[in-house]
Amino acid sequence: MVSETSGIHHVTGIVGDAQEAIEFYTGVLGLRLVTQTVNFEDILQHHLYFGDAAGTPGTVLTVFPDPYGDDGRVGRPQVESVSFLISEDSLPYWQNRLEDHDIELERRERFGDTVVQFQDPVGTHLELVARPATEIDASALESWEYSPVPLEHALRGIDGVTTLSVNPYATASLLETLGFEYVAEQGERVRYEAPGRRATRVDILTRDGPYGREGQGTHHHVAVRVEHEDELHEWRDLFDDRGYDVSRVKDRHVFHSLYVREPGGVLVELATETGGVALDDGDRAAEPSIELVLPEWFEQDRDLIESQLPKLHLPETISK
């Protein structure tokens, strides 16, 4: 029988240039490039995973680089933004760091937290949410010692996402089915939380607005955590019975997943919990690496794949 989900597994966006994404997410935000692999639906496209040292679910942002794709437009129904958690004491550091990289910031208060809003090089909406260190549970995370960001200021994983829905009530209904509970609302923002220890918040914006367009600078989907593959099949049957647009269960090498397009239009993935999504054969030494990692069923096409993908490198700011 299906059980409630415990929070966000990862968020996936669409960017332009793969190297530019690496420079920003590792060189500026200090995340580890956990894995360089390919989009399993298009093996001639990169899929880059960024997160803590192990790629612990709840810390991971992944991107599909699409250098020849059109610019996207943020709107309904999409994940509007993803927020990363930082210690309140690190707020001055991050404001200075982002400004030193000529990144425009907007600071605001939300549910008692200070939020710093900014964008990546192609306009993807990102946030830092500052919270007292005593309220942050980072015990399950593995800091990456080679990061250009000092350990005391490192991102503490994903805090949550903000969604734009064409039917906020339907989106809320799906969240409740997945185990999220209503906790508060502020203006046009309604907050739901999962019962887990990290990456638990999903905000629904109830405002009307233009429709979005998938492309560079937009988030593609948000994934939530489930414990076992067997649960995915049960979830699939449940969604299918309710008439949702749901995929088959898919093997993503280090986790299994399925995708459901909820009636509010937001694409949600359910992904199995793992100790980490690093595709480096269990090497958690987490030394800087840029190797292209492929699951065994793509190895026979490695020469073709490598010949079609641009060569990538880590920023010079990554310590070795």
Side-chain angles (χ1 to χ4, degrees):
M1 183 175 180
V2 296
S3 60
E4 59 191 14
T5 58
S6 57
I8 294 169
H9 187 284
H10 67 270
V11 182
T12 294
I14 302 171
V15 298
D17 182 73
Q19 185 59 47
E20 184 178 57
I22 290 174
E23 299 284 345
F24 180 79
Y25 286 100
T26 66
V28 178
L29 296 190
L31 298 172
R32 180 193 176 198
L33 175 61
V34 180
T35 294
Q36 178 200 174
T37 185
V38 294
N39 183 340
F40 287 6
E41 308 298 335
D42 179 0
I43 62 172
L44 300 185
Q45 183 183 51
H46 271 116
H47 192 182
L48 306 178
Y49 287 63
F50 303 95
D52 71 351
T56 305
T59 73
V60 177
L61 179 81
T62 89
V63 298
F64 297 131
D66 186 9
Y68 305 110
D70 294 332
D71 292 339
R73 182 179 62 241
V74 178
R76 300 179 300 153
Q78 289 178 351
V79 173
E80 189 268 347
S81 63
V82 56
S83 58
F84 292 96
L85 193 58
I86 61 170
S87 168
E88 196 171 61
D89 296 335
S90 298
L91 191 55
Y93 168 86
W94 276 105
Q95 289 192 216
N96 291 334
R97 181 172 181 81
L98 295 175
E99 288 172 349
D100 287 346
H101 285 83
D102 297 323
I103 296 170
E104 294 185 4
L105 311 177
E106 186 169 341
R107 178 168 169 163
R108 58 182 59 205
E109 300 296 316
R110 180 191 302 159
F111 295 114
D113 297 324
T114 299
V115 179
V116 177
Q117 298 178 318
F118 59 103
Q119 298 178 6
D120 77 358
V122 289
T124 309
H125 292 194
L126 303 171
E127 297 177 336
L128 300 179
V129 174
R131 197 161 293 136
T134 53
E135 297 181 12
I136 298 175
D137 181 4
S139 59
L141 310 184
E142 295 186 26
S143 299
W144 190 42
E145 62 181 294
Y146 300 94
S147 171
V149 175
L151 287 178
E152 65 268 28
H153 298 305
L155 303 185
R156 309 298 181 85
I158 290 173
D159 184 60
V161 297
T162 296
T163 62
L164 284 163
S165 171
V166 297
N167 186 338
Y169 293 103
T171 302
S173 177
L174 176 75
L175 291 176
E176 290 171 353
T177 299
L178 293 172
F180 287 73
E181 294 185 354
Y182 166 88
V183 292
E185 57 188 282
Q186 184 178 70
E188 59 190 10
R189 181 179 294 268
V190 182
R191 172 157 293 180
Y192 283 78
E193 284 192 15
R197 298 171 58 187
R198 62 183 183 280
T200 57
R201 293 180 174 84
V202 175
D203 289 355
I204 303 172
L205 296 180
T206 58
R207 67 168 180 257
D208 202 356
Y211 285 98
R213 180 179 64 207
E214 188 174 290
Q216 294 183 17
T218 63
H219 294 290
H220 187 265
H221 66 265
V222 55
V224 297
R225 306 194 296 272
V226 300
E227 289 191 11
H228 306 293
E229 182 186 352
D230 290 346
E231 288 186 29
L232 292 179
H233 293 279
E234 296 176 14
W235 279 110
R236 192 197 180 285
D237 290 343
L238 183 150
F239 291 132
D240 191 47
D241 288 344
R242 296 186 180 185
Y244 288 10
D245 179 10
V246 60
S247 75
R248 61 179 173 82
V249 173
K250 300 188 177 185
D251 184 351
R252 297 310 194 194
H253 195 195
V254 291
F255 56 82
H256 286 73
S257 66
L258 67 84
Y259 301 82
V260 56
R261 181 76 70 177
E262 53 91 15
V266 178
L267 182 61
V268 178
E269 178 182 0
L270 286 76
T272 51
E273 184 87 81
T274 67
V277 299
L279 291 174
D280 51 8
D281 298 326
D283 177 12
R284 298 296 173 79
E287 293 183 0
S289 171
I290 197 70
E291 296 299 319
L292 178 66
V293 180
L294 298 174
E296 60 274 13
W297 60 86
F298 288 153
E299 278 295 345
Q300 62 183 345
D301 296 317
R302 175 176 284 275
D303 289 344
L304 167 66
I305 293 170
E306 290 187 331
S307 72
Q308 296 298 310
L309 294 176
K311 302 299 182 186
L312 304 177
H313 60 83
L314 293 172
E316 294 181 356
T317 52
I318 300 298
S319 302
K320 297 182 181 179

